[in-house]
């Protein structure tokens, strides 16, 4: 029995301190609702949950960004709806003015309304805004230039005007080929009010030198072709088979005739290729041949405008479907740096819709207006469809962001949040132990009172 050291009191006090410290942590967790309040509580869990919180906040803000993008598209669509009505009205006025029962004075009155509609179309293109950002406008970024260095082009050595399609093919020449059955000819009937077609040519006579067919060297080579509106990228590829087939946007040309035999001349091969329904499927781009030479031309790019001309290509680069891209709006979809999409921008004006200069002052002018309103209607349809598709995509992205955010929050909660029921049980147990420790600490001094009795 000793009196210098009250070991029972010391042990009880140590345990009381430990339990009091644990109870403070328990109270802290109950008060905050978090299992992890500082890194020391769970270093690994804190790092994981903080990373999840970063992701959640990025997803939530991305959802707001996507909603803004949807609003931008909807404003564009609403404005284009009015442009559609105006274009349709122009066609109606053109039809009215083309009637031979009208006097020139009558057409002047009709043309006054045409002029005002032109002004309103241009105004709509300039004044439609979202958050003070002009909706209909061009950018100026050039992504890449088409190339012509692949195996297909190397086989020819010299292909006229490869890259951008810039070879002028006049209507008389093209019509002559179509009249002889040497072209697809779907879009070249009637008069040509526009001017030369943008095109290229490739001489297939090189594969039939000295009476020898060397078309097998074309197998597994290909080229890409697109029109100035960038809406019809097609790849033409050559295969060791018979027949010409279209799968998606790929035209596969067999190097054997329908009987499986070799061709005897370039014209025979090109006739077999051009006469195929598959080659006639692509919109806006036509194929024709003459004297063993393949001609490819863009039927839209007749205005010979530099910027639109350089979007029509004949090359070996599938990415050149973009040609010249007018810088769009970059929409950040989440907190990941690379998770963004570029919403395209379009110019809306009488010039971009190819209505500029058209009038109803004569019967022929009115008929020309009718033709151009049809083209304008198609262009407005294309722009509206593009924005409609983006709205649908953004809505899916919005739902995905919300779903991912919700599930990530659930996972983060498991790591970070306090299980209140479990922690209350722990707190109650610690309270009982602390009170017991305090009681024992108060009594631990009485155990040495026996020494005093021995001394009496």
């Amino acid at each position: 029995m000793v009196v210098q050291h009250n070991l029972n009191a010391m042990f009880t006090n140590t345990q009381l301190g430990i339990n009091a410290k644990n109870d403070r942590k328990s109270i802290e967790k109950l008060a905050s609702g978090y299992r992890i309040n500082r890194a020391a509580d769970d270093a690994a869990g804190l790092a994981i949950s903080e990373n999840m919180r970063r992701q959640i906040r990025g997803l939530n803000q991305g959802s707001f960004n996507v909603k803004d993008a949807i609003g931008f598209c909807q404003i564009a669509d609403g404005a284009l709806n009015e442009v559609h009505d105006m274009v349709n009205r122009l066609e109606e006025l053109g039809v009215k003015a083309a009637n031979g029962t009208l006097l020139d004075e009558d057409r002047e009155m009709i043309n006054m309304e045409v002029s005002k509609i032109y002004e309103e179309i241009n105004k709509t293109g300039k004044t439609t805004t979202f958050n003070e950002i002009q909706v209909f406008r061009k950018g100026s970024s050039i992504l890449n230039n088409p190339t012509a260095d692949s195996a297909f082009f190397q086989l020819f050595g010299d292909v006229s005007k490869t890259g951008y399609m810039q070879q002028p093919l006049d209507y008389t020449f093209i019509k002559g080929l179509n009249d002889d059955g040497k072209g697809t000819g779907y879009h070249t009937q009637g008069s040509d009010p526009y001017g030369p077609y943008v095109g290229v040519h490739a001489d297939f006579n090189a594969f039939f030198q000295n009476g020898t067919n060397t078309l097998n060297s074309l197998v597994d080579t290909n080229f890409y072709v697109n029109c100035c509106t960038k809406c019809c990228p097609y790849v033409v590829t050559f295969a060791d088979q018979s027949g010409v087939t279209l799968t998606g946007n790929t035209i596969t040309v067999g190097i054997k005739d329908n009987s499986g035999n070799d061709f005897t001349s370039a014209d025979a091969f090109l006739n077999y290729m051009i006469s195929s329904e598959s080659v006639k499927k692509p919109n806006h781009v036509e194929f024709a041949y003459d004297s063993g030479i393949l001609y490819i031309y863009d039927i839209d790019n007749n205005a010979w405008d530099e910027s639109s001309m350089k979007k029509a290509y004949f090359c070996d680069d599938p990415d050149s479907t973009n040609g010249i891209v007018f810088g769009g709006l970059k929409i950040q979809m989440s907190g990941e740096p690379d998770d963004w999409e570029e919403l395209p921008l379009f110019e809306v004006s009488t010039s971009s819709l190819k209505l500029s200069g058209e009038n109803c002052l004569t019967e022929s002018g009115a008929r020309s207006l009718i033709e151009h309103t049809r083209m304008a209607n198609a262009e407005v349809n294309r722009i509206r469809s593009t924005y409609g598709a983006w709205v649908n995509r953004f809505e899916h992205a919005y739902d995905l962001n919300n779903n991912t955010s919700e599930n990530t929050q659930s996972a983060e909660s498991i790591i970070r949040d306090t299980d209140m029921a479990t922690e209350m049980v722990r707190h109650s147990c610690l309270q009982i132990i602390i009170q017991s420790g305090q009681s024992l600490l108060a009594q631990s001094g009485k155990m040495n009172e026996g020494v005093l009795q021995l001394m009496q």
Side-chain angles (χ1 to χ4, degrees):
M1 185 177 294
V2 297
V3 296
Q4 291 291 349
H5 296 86
N6 190 341
L7 297 178
N8 290 330
M10 292 171 63
F11 176 78
T12 302
N13 186 60
T14 299
Q15 292 301 314
L16 183 60
I18 293 172
N19 291 328
K21 181 182 69 173
N22 290 336
D23 191 44
R24 283 196 301 273
K25 290 183 178 180
S26 182
I27 291 172
E28 186 178 57
K29 292 174 183 178
L30 289 169
S32 67
Y34 290 119
R35 184 180 69 85
I36 304 173
N37 288 288
R38 54 181 62 84
D41 293 337
D42 183 350
L46 178 74
I48 294 170
S49 66
E50 285 296 338
N51 191 47
M52 286 182 172
R53 285 185 174 185
R54 176 198 63 78
Q55 185 180 5
I56 290 165
R57 294 180 71 167
L59 287 167
N60 291 341
Q61 184 57 55
S63 293
F64 284 113
N65 292 355
V66 169
K67 277 292 189 183
D68 285 342
I70 291 174
F72 183 95
C73 293
Q74 289 173 335
I75 285 177
D77 184 55
L80 289 169
N81 183 55
E82 294 304 318
V83 174
H84 243 150
D85 287 343
M86 287 186 277
V87 171
N88 291 338
R89 177 57 178 167
L90 286 173
E91 182 177 19
E92 185 179 7
L93 293 171
V95 172
K96 184 175 183 180
N99 199 17
T101 61
L102 298 181
L103 299 174
D104 289 343
E105 290 82 356
D106 299 327
R107 292 191 183 90
E108 288 180 4
M109 297 299 103
I110 295 173
N111 198 62
M112 288 178 61
E113 183 176 352
V114 170
S115 299
K116 292 303 178 184
I117 291 176
Y118 283 171
E119 291 176 10
E120 188 59 28
I121 290 174
N122 289 327
K123 179 184 176 183
T124 300
K126 290 180 179 178
T127 61
T128 302
T129 60
F130 177 86
N131 191 32
E132 299 185 4
I133 297 172
Q134 187 176 349
V135 173
F136 301 115
R137 69 187 193 277
K138 285 185 178 181
S140 59
S141 59
I142 300 177
L143 286 188
N144 61 304
N145 295 332
T147 61
D149 300 322
S150 71
F152 172 84
F153 292 94
Q154 290 175 11
L155 287 172
F156 287 89
D158 177 26
V159 180
S160 172
K161 306 293 185 182
T162 54
Y164 298 127
M165 294 205 296
Q166 300 183 47
Q167 179 184 11
L169 299 176
D170 63 56
Y171 171 75
T172 303
F173 173 74
I174 293 172
K175 186 175 185 301
L177 297 181
N178 288 315
D179 288 345
D180 291 338
K182 294 181 178 180
T184 52
Y186 271 33
H187 301 278
T188 54
Q189 302 303 317
S191 61
D192 173 43
Y194 309 121
Y197 295 83
V198 180
V200 295
H201 75 258
D203 191 347
F204 276 74
N205 289 303
F207 299 103
F208 294 90
Q209 298 295 329
N210 302 319
T212 302
N213 179 332
T214 59
L215 283 174
N216 60 320
S217 58
L218 279 173
V219 173
D220 295 330
T221 69
N222 58 57
F223 63 83
Y224 296 87
V225 62
N226 198 5
C227 68
C228 65
T229 60
K230 301 189 298 177
C231 64
C232 55
Y234 274 83
V235 56
V236 179
T237 185
F238 297 88
D240 188 10
Q241 63 187 46
S242 297
V244 181
T245 59
L246 175 67
T247 304
N249 278 20
T250 298
I251 300 172
T252 302
V253 181
I255 62 168
K256 306 287 186 181
D257 67 18
N258 292 328
S259 300
N261 300 318
D262 289 339
F263 291 95
T264 58
S265 69
D267 260 13
F269 173 69
L270 293 176
N271 177 65
Y272 145 89
M273 176 179 170
I274 297 302
S275 61
S276 168
E277 288 297 318
S278 297
V279 178
K280 295 177 181 177
K281 293 292 183 182
N283 293 322
H284 314 287
V285 173
E286 299 292 343
F287 294 76
Y289 74 97
D290 184 49
S291 302
I293 298 176
L294 174 68
Y295 293 92
I296 303 172
Y297 54 96
D298 169 19
I299 60 98
D300 293 316
N301 203 356
N302 306 295
W304 214 236
D305 174 74
E306 180 72 15
S307 62
S308 62
M309 179 175 65
K310 286 190 174 181
K311 284 180 275 185
Y313 66 82
F314 171 60
C315 65
D316 56 8
D317 185 359
D319 291 333
S320 292
T321 54
N322 294 315
I324 290 185
V325 171
F326 301 122
L329 292 179
K330 290 182 174 62
I331 307 301
Q332 189 67 33
M333 312 284 277
S334 71
E336 303 304 321
D338 295 331
D339 187 14
W340 58 271
E341 297 294 338
E342 187 167 8
L343 182 64
L345 297 174
F346 300 93
E347 181 186 13
V348 173
S349 65
T350 53
S351 176
S352 68
L353 297 179
K354 297 184 178 178
L355 292 170
S356 182
E358 299 299 317
N359 60 64
C360 291
L361 296 176
T362 63
E363 285 187 33
S364 61
R367 292 190 176 91
S368 179
L369 175 62
I370 295 171
E371 176 66 22
H372 280 75
T373 55
R374 188 164 59 182
M375 296 168 60
N377 205 314
E379 177 66 7
V380 176
N381 279 335
R382 184 178 72 87
I383 299 173
R384 290 190 72 181
S385 296
T386 299
Y387 281 129
W390 274 100
V391 167
N392 290 336
R393 177 178 180 178
F394 282 140
E395 287 178 346
H396 287 300
Y398 178 82
D399 291 339
L400 176 62
N401 274 7
N402 289 344
N403 182 267
T404 304
S405 175
E406 179 182 343
N407 291 330
T408 306
Q409 285 183 29
S410 176
E412 193 259 349
S413 174
I414 293 172
I415 297 172
R416 194 75 174 253
D417 291 353
T418 298
D419 184 332
M420 300 298 285
T422 301
E423 201 59 44
M424 278 300 299
V425 171
R426 175 180 168 81
H427 172 62
S428 298
C429 290
L430 287 170
Q431 284 289 306
I432 293 171
I433 293 172
I434 289 171
Q435 291 175 21
S436 299
Q438 290 171 339
S439 178
L440 290 172
L441 185 63
Q443 296 178 27
S444 61
K446 295 181 179 181
M447 298 180 65
N448 291 336
E449 291 180 358
V451 177
L452 293 175
Q453 293 179 4
L454 290 175
M455 296 175 63
Q456 288 177 353

